[in-house]
């Protein structure tokens, strides 16, 4: 395939590849679940894997994503596509050697005592070789595929153009903002071809893991920065078996032979996934840094049973506000409170039209009943369902929250494939119960207060100027206030105003009565029809009755 093909020529090449592998027309592909056609589905899926490998890194990555979508694809397809997580055709040894020596500026013998020509893993962007440094350190050397940067850039440009065309052609695609989805995916792929970004991601995650207040059993490899470039990473070699290999071995093992020793292995994998889930959600909530691509090929089970994570090309970051929103969403989901979920989402993506807001809240309530009830799991279909609901109502989806939810769905896909008995929500509840102990330490409180004070200082400096501007606007009658309220908000506001007015009147009545009781009566007023003392007692009685009515109504509302 011509690597320098123009977009039009490239599209033609991709169509020829699909035809050569028997994937056209697409309506012939069997995506059903009929047991009678299982063998045909497996043959088609294997052909699709070959076509994706031939098409290049961008399409291999797409296949990896689809391999976790068991809600969309039958098991024959996800099983074959999962091979793309760890069994991509490797690059020739001569090309690997040329890349390493060119990047490090010296020969392999000057840096490594030994360097295994056979890769231990091959992926769409790079492949990994085992080596030993001259000081005896056993390392994994990740080497980027030759020309992959130019190839990825070419294909993501094609994806962006296709996304723009689809949006022009389809009103449904415009409503769902498919061009933005494609663009976000393309940006992630471009970042992954710069291995120096992966080094920074790895060191950042590893630094947070060393915090004694964090879960401490998920292992990250140590980096050797002297031997790292934009195309080569040298890091500690971690012994272990990837979950993708575990899944492949299970699939190749008959149920009878797996029944004996399989119980111990399944227990170890389940324990590793529980630790991984707790680490993921803790990092997500505490500092907003998380591994965004925890598919089975990126998770190892070490000989002692503890998990290790590799491949840090996709690492997400959430700012403090997004972390708090995500935590509120998690709590609302655990409490089955769709209105609170709607409040969080509408705070992150405000809606001005009250009619749209009411429709979205009603839609989220229905979705909660149908898709998020008892026994539901946070899988990719649920995440995409909420995103679709937001986009259907024209609500701009916060991309950071969507990325975090997608990473969570990827983790759920891994758990579902290897240990379906592991309940992610139960692990999240455990973390939620432990989280106050982590956050409410003395240092944590001091850091939180310091952050809040520092973040408030710019606003405080601007406050006098803003107050002066508001004053001038009031003088010139140029102030306009727009408030969008739902019917429920209006009822609450009206009720609050009525109660507030009654309380103010009762208070004024009581104060006036006290004034009448304490005011000396002049001699010439002692024959008046209503003496001040009498008036004072009447006013106090009215005040008392009004307060009793307010208290009774407040107690009644609390009971309801």
């Amino acid at each position: 395939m011509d690597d320098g093909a123009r977009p039009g020529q490239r599209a033609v090449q991709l169509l020829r590849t699909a035809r050569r592998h028997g994937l056209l027309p697409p309506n012939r592909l069997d995506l059903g679940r009929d047991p009678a056609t299982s063998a045909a589905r497996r043959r088609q899926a294997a052909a699709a894997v070959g076509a994706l490998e031939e098409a290049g890194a961008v399409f291999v990555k797409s296949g990896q994503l689809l391999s976790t979508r068991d809600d969309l694809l039958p098991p024959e397809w996800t099983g074959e596509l999962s091979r793309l997580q760890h069994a991509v055709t490797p690059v020739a040894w001569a090309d690997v050697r040329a890349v390493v020596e060119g990047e490090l500026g010296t020969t392999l013998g000057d840096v490594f005592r030994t360097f295994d020509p056979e890769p231990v893993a091959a992926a769409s962007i790079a492949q990994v070789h085992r080596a030993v440094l001259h000081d005896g350190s056993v390392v994994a050397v990740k080497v980027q595929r030759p020309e992959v940067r130019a190839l990825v850039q070419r294909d993501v440009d094609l994806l962006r153009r296709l996304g723009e065309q689809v949006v022009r052609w389809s009103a449904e695609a415009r409503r769902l903002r498919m061009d933005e989805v494609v663009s976000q995916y393309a940006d992630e792929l471009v970042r992954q071809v710069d291995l120096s970004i992966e080094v920074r991601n790895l060191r950042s995650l590893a630094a947070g893991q060393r915090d004694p207040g964090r879960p401490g059993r998920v292992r990250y490899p140590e980096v050797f920065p002297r031997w790292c470039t934009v195309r080569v990473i040298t890091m500690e070699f971690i012994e272990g078996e990837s979950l993708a290999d575990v899944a492949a071995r299970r699939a190749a093992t008959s149920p009878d032979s797996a029944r004996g020793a399989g119980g111990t292995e399944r227990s170890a994998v389940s324990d590793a996934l529980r630790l991984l889930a707790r680490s993921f959600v803790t990092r997500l909530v505490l500092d907003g840094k998380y591994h965004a691509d925890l598919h089975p090929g990126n998770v190892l089970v070490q000989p002692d049973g503890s998990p290790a994570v590799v491949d840090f090309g996709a690492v997400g970051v959430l700012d403090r506000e997004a972390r708090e929103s995500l935590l509120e969403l998690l709590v609302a989901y655990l409490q089955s409170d769709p209105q609170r979920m709607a409040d969080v989402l509408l705070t992150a993506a405000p809606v001005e039209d009250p009619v749209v807001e009411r429709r979205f809240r009603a839609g989220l309530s229905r979705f909660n009943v149908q898709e998020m009830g008892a026994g539901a799991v946070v899988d990719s279909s649920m995440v995409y369902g909420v995103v679709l609901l937001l986009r259907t109502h024209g609500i701009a989806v916060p991309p950071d929250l969507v990325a975090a939810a997608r990473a969570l769905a990827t983790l759920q896909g891994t758990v579902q494939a290897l240990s379906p008995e592991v309940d992610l929500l139960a692990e999240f509840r455990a973390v939620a119960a432990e989280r106050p102990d982590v956050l409410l330490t003395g240092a944590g409180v001091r850091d939180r207060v310091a952050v809040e004070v520092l973040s408030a200082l710019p606003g405080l400096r601007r406050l006098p100027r803003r107050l002066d501007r508001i004053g001038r606007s009031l003088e010139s009658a140029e102030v306009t206030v727009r408030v969008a309220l739902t019917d429920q908000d209006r009822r609450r506001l009206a009720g609050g105003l009525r109660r507030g007015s009654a309380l103010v009147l009762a208070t004024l009545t009581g104060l006036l009565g006290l004034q009448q009781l304490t005011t000396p009566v002049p001699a010439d007023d002692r024959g008046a029809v209503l003496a001040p003392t009498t008036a004072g007692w009447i006013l106090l009685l009215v005040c008392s009755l009004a307060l009793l009515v307010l208290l009774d109504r407040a107690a009644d509302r609390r009971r309801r």
Side-chain angles (χ1 to χ4, degrees), residues 138-159:
V138 181
V139 295
V141 184
K142 185 171 184 176
V143 185
Q144 190 178 86
R145 288 173 172 263
E147 309 300 330
V148 73
R149 183 185 298 271
L151 298 179
V152 166
Q153 189 63 60
R154 177 200 61 189
D155 284 345
V156 298
D157 287 344
L158 177 61
L159 283 178

Side-chain angles (χ1 to χ4, degrees), residues 6-26:
R6 295 178 178 179
Q9 295 173 328
R10 175 61 171 159
V12 172
Q13 289 176 349
L14 293 174
L15 288 173
R16 288 175 177 169
T17 300
R19 184 179 296 111
R20 188 166 54 255
H21 286 271
L23 303 178
L24 294 179

